[in-house]
Amino acid sequence: MRTRTGAPPRTVELELNGETVEAREDMTILDVTRREGIEIPTMCWERTLTPVNACRVCVVEVKGSRVLVPSCARKVEEGMEVQTHSDRVNLSRKMVIEFLASSVDLSVMPNVARWIEEDGADPERYGPPAPPFEAGERDRLRAGHHETPDGEHAATVHQPTKVDNELYVRDYAKCILCYKCVEGCGTDWQNTFAIAVAGRGFDARIATEYANPLPDSACVYCGNCIAVCPTGALVFKSEFDRRAEGTWDEGRQTQTQTICTYCGVGCNLELHEQDNEIGKVTSPLDHSGTSGNLCIKGRFGFQFVQNDRSGLPAPLEDENAPDAGPADA
């Protein structure tokens, strides 16, 4: 890897939690902490996407900096002194997790329950959640028109799930506005721009153009937004149905790696199987050809594998066809 000038990156020394470490100048603080085995929570960061610094749970304290800095985007510098779990950092992280958990359904997001316990977060201290929005109500909110909270309920984004197609659903009660779906659909990968952020402040939400249903939008159903969603706000219809039935069990699932056969690109697929059925399809983030991205065929074109063919007529036999010889059998 080289810098913008074409020269290889220099090695710099920095102090990380009191220990001197070396790192390439093109590495972020998060890169270094992960290499050193120090866990920093992340929600909006993904290695295949451009950091947008939205969630603020990965912030760290850098000596001389007026504010806490996002470790996912801040590059290391010579002589930098970093504290990843100072009192100031822990308080900030605790408050961010409390704000999110008090207003968003984080029930299926990995590690959140542990982070809440480790940071001593108490989302319930903001009161019971406010009544959920009716279907489409948040889509009709106008920027700048905010209602005064009653002071007795925690603000919420809870709303009915949007089910308008047979491939994937949008459960925005689980959306933390991390922007990962927008980045994957936009300039980072797909360049379709079917979704964007609408509204402002707490009324901000992910939306299609004019809040149209997905079949009437620019969506090409690549499912790359699902691949990077950290909270389950975007999920396969098959997974959504099984979760609603109470039969989705990742502990009973197996993953089979195979190659997509729809074209000659050769994208790697990971088939998530349960009860002899494919529940969803992903692609490895570290695959050089896909970086976790697929097209509609690779992502959703698996249903034919498990179609029930018992009611179909037997294939016709050609009476004039020659018998298979030993070499052809």
Side-chain angles (χ1 to χ4, degrees):
M1 186 175 295
R2 293 180 175 272
T3 62
R4 292 182 178 179
T5 63
R10 298 179 302 132
T11 297
V12 298
E13 279 193 357
L14 65 149
E15 190 176 290
L16 183 61
N17 293 340
E19 299 290 333
T20 300
V21 298
E22 291 185 347
R24 297 193 318 269
E25 63 178 346
D26 61 339
M27 298 177 71
T28 64
I29 297 174
L30 183 63
D31 292 333
V32 179
T33 58
R34 293 197 165 204
R35 186 195 67 186
E36 298 296 317
I38 301 172
E39 183 187 17
I40 295 180
T42 61
M43 291 183 179
C44 71
W45 175 84
E46 184 55 71
R47 56 182 166 171
T48 60
L49 300 173
T50 303
V52 294
N53 315 326
C55 72
R56 316 306 289 187
V57 296
C58 77
V59 293
V60 296
E61 188 168 1
V62 175
K63 185 176 180 179
S65 175
R66 181 178 60 86
V67 297
L68 299 177
V69 302
S71 62
C72 65
R74 181 65 178 269
K75 296 290 178 60
V76 297
E77 300 172 8
E78 180 68 37
M80 177 181 278
E81 298 181 24
V82 181
Q83 290 290 329
T84 62
H85 292 79
S86 66
D87 291 343
R88 186 182 177 195
V89 169
N90 291 339
L91 177 60
S92 173
R93 196 169 290 155
K94 169 186 173 182
M95 292 184 64
V96 169
I97 293 176
E98 282 184 343
F99 289 152
L100 290 174
S102 67
S103 59
V104 182
D105 177 6
L106 302 180
S107 58
V108 299
M109 185 176 187
N111 301 316
V112 168
R114 177 169 60 85
W115 294 340
I116 290 176
E117 182 179 355
E118 291 177 351
D119 293 323
D122 182 19
E124 287 76 20
R125 71 189 181 99
Y126 297 103
F133 289 88
E134 296 181 1
E137 186 178 357
R138 272 183 63 83
D139 294 326
R140 295 189 293 270
L141 296 175
R142 297 174 58 191
H145 294 259
H146 305 293
E147 294 186 6
T148 303
D150 60 14
E152 298 179 358
H153 296 84
T156 181
V157 299
H158 289 200
Q159 58 192 290
T161 304
K162 296 177 184 290
V163 184
D164 53 18
N165 67 90
E166 290 301 314
L167 299 183
Y168 73 96
V169 303
R170 296 173 290 161
D171 186 0
Y172 287 143
K174 295 183 173 71
C175 179
I176 61 172
L177 217 64
C178 68
Y179 287 69
K180 290 165 77 171
C181 59
V182 176
E183 295 293 297
C185 185
T187 54
D188 274 11
W189 290 111
Q190 193 62 28
N191 284 283
T192 297
F193 304 97
I195 52 177
V197 178
R200 301 188 65 178
F202 194 79
D203 293 342
R205 67 266 181 198
I206 304 298
T208 59
E209 62 273 23
Y210 301 107
N212 283 325
L214 280 178
D216 298 330
S217 73
C219 179
V220 296
Y221 296 97
C222 64
N224 295 332
C225 55
I226 306 174
V228 295
C229 179
T231 63
L234 302 172
V235 67
F236 279 77
K237 179 70 160 53
S238 51
E239 178 180 347
F240 175 80
D241 290 340
R242 275 184 172 264
R243 286 189 183 276
E245 297 167 357
T247 58
W248 182 263
D249 185 358
E250 294 182 355
R252 294 167 48 208
Q253 294 176 8
T254 59
Q255 293 187 27
T256 302
Q257 196 165 79
T258 184
I259 305 295
C260 181
T261 60
Y262 278 108
C263 76
V265 173
C267 296
N268 268 22
L269 304 181
E270 292 175 332
L271 310 181
H272 298 248
E273 308 156 73
Q274 179 182 329
D275 301 330
N276 204 31
E277 286 189 355
I278 300 173
K280 66 179 181 180
V281 176
T282 58
S283 185
L285 292 174
D286 58 358
H287 185 254
S288 60
T290 68
S291 296
N293 299 291
L294 295 170
C295 72
I296 182 175
K297 294 180 180 179
R299 184 82 63 187
F300 297 107
F302 59 85
Q303 289 87 347
F304 75 94
V305 176
Q306 49 214 31
N307 283 345
D308 183 7
R309 302 180 60 86
S310 59
L312 297 179
L316 298 176
E317 296 184 4
D318 187 352
E319 297 178 354
N320 300 320
D323 294 333
D328 300 324

